Amino acid sequence: MIMPSGEKADFVNGLSTNVFHHIDQLFKTLAHTSVEKAQATIDSDRQEILQLIHNGPGFKKFNATINNLIREWVLCLVLKEVEVKKEKKHDGGANGTYDESCANFFQTVGIFFHRIGEYDRSLTMYKDELEMVEQEFGPDHIRMTYPLTNMALVYTDQGKYDEAMQYYERALAMREKEYGKKHYETATTLHNMGIIYRNQKMFAKAVEVLNRAWTIRSKKYGRDHVITATTLEAIAIGCSVRPKKVR
């Protein structure tokens, strides 16, 4: 498949400016792929093709094949742009200095890969971003919390909770130092750590950390806010699955 140069440029630029729109559009395309609804200039040709598919792999299998081809094509397009950015990174940016747009590109493409289940590729993007940020700002700068948190989220989805916790702990230390222990940014990390503890069946620790997050969020947003409710729900789940003591 070949994309016109103008549309290709828009797609690539969108990875840096509106990555979630791109992800949604990809999933929308995959969800609505149906060869049975395809059009043809000559109707007899369409009918003949549909009959061949019906007698061969079947529509369900054929649609799945088309979906995989679209997915692979998109991945190929993104990976080509990633290589361009990596060369720019290794060259130290266009002017031999840190390039924020390049670091942001790695971040948004990392989000893209994460959302479509390409976890290893996602981690690679976040590590490239982390390396650039650390080299420019230092290992304890607040800007480090973005790639650290995103990497922790990927490890969480992979079920690698110990790895995820290591990154959350680093992010938490930076946010507490930058914002304070009762800041809502700190609460976000605490909430995520609480989920990890719950998944590890460390229920007492999970509830303790989630309660800290809930206290901060309830003061910031109010008790009826959806963000506060999310943490309250996590506490409730942690309490409900916690083993009862035998008397």
Side-chain angles (χ1 to χ4, degrees), residues 124-233:
T124 298
M125 293 295 95
Y126 291 142
K127 287 176 182 177
D128 282 330
E129 179 197 2
L130 185 69
E131 182 181 313
M132 290 184 69
V133 172
E134 184 171 7
Q135 185 175 352
E136 176 67 14
F137 300 106
D140 299 320
H141 194 275
I142 193 64
R143 175 67 173 78
M144 292 278 289
T145 60
Y146 295 108
L148 289 172
T149 298
N150 283 329
M151 290 171 72
L153 290 170
V154 176
Y155 281 124
T156 300
D157 285 347
Q158 289 181 313
K160 298 179 180 179
Y161 300 130
D162 289 338
E163 290 91 335
M165 188 60 73
Q166 290 176 13
Y167 287 100
Y168 278 139
E169 287 174 346
R170 289 182 64 187
L172 178 64
M174 294 174 193
R175 285 181 168 171
E176 286 184 337
K177 181 179 178 180
E178 180 74 15
Y179 303 120
K181 293 187 176 183
K182 297 182 180 180
H183 194 273
Y184 65 89
E185 290 283 2
T186 304
T188 299
T189 304
L190 289 170
H191 174 93
N192 291 338
M193 292 175 69
I195 300 299
I196 296 292
Y197 285 128
R198 191 185 70 193
N199 291 342
Q200 292 179 310
K201 302 188 185 305
M202 300 171 64
F203 300 114
K205 187 66 175 177
V207 172
E208 174 192 340
V209 173
L210 288 168
N211 269 322
R212 285 181 60 193
W214 180 83
T215 299
I216 297 168
R217 286 180 162 181
S218 62
K219 289 182 179 179
K220 169 66 178 178
Y221 303 108
R223 294 193 175 192
D224 297 328
H225 195 280
V226 64
I227 293 178
T228 308
T230 300
T231 301
L232 186 62
E233 180 183 30

Side-chain angles (χ1 to χ4, degrees), residues 5-124:
S5 58
E7 293 183 12
K8 179 180 178 181
D10 289 342
F11 180 87
V12 170
N13 290 336
L15 290 173
S16 298
T17 59
N18 199 356
V19 65
F20 294 110
H21 173 74
H22 279 59
I23 296 171
D24 292 340
Q25 286 297 109
L26 174 60
F27 285 137
K28 183 179 179 180
T29 299
L30 296 178
H32 290 85
T33 300
S34 175
V35 67
E36 294 174 273
K37 297 179 180 179
Q39 301 297 316
T41 304
I42 302 175
D43 187 64
S44 59
D45 289 346
R46 177 178 180 276
Q47 296 301 325
E48 183 177 349
I49 292 171
L50 292 178
Q51 190 62 46
L52 287 171
I53 296 172
H54 176 74
N55 295 336
F59 295 116
K60 184 176 181 179
K61 187 175 181 179
F62 190 84
N63 287 336
T65 300
I66 295 298
N67 284 347
N68 287 332
L69 287 172
I70 294 173
R71 178 190 174 91
E72 290 303 315
W73 172 68
V74 170
L75 283 175
C76 183
L77 186 63
V78 174
L79 288 171
K80 284 182 179 179
E81 187 62 22
V82 166
E83 288 305 312
V84 173
K85 296 295 185 181
K86 280 182 175 287
E87 288 182 10
K88 187 176 181 180
K89 171 197 168 188
H90 292 151
D91 291 338
N95 300 314
T97 57
Y98 170 76
D99 188 336
E100 180 71 13
S101 66
C102 187
N104 288 339
F105 177 84
F106 289 138
Q107 179 186 107
T108 54
V109 172
I111 294 170
F112 179 82
F113 284 145
H114 186 185
R115 287 280 295 271
I116 65 174
E118 294 285 336
Y119 296 136
D120 289 339
R121 283 174 170 153
S122 177
L123 287 171
T124 298

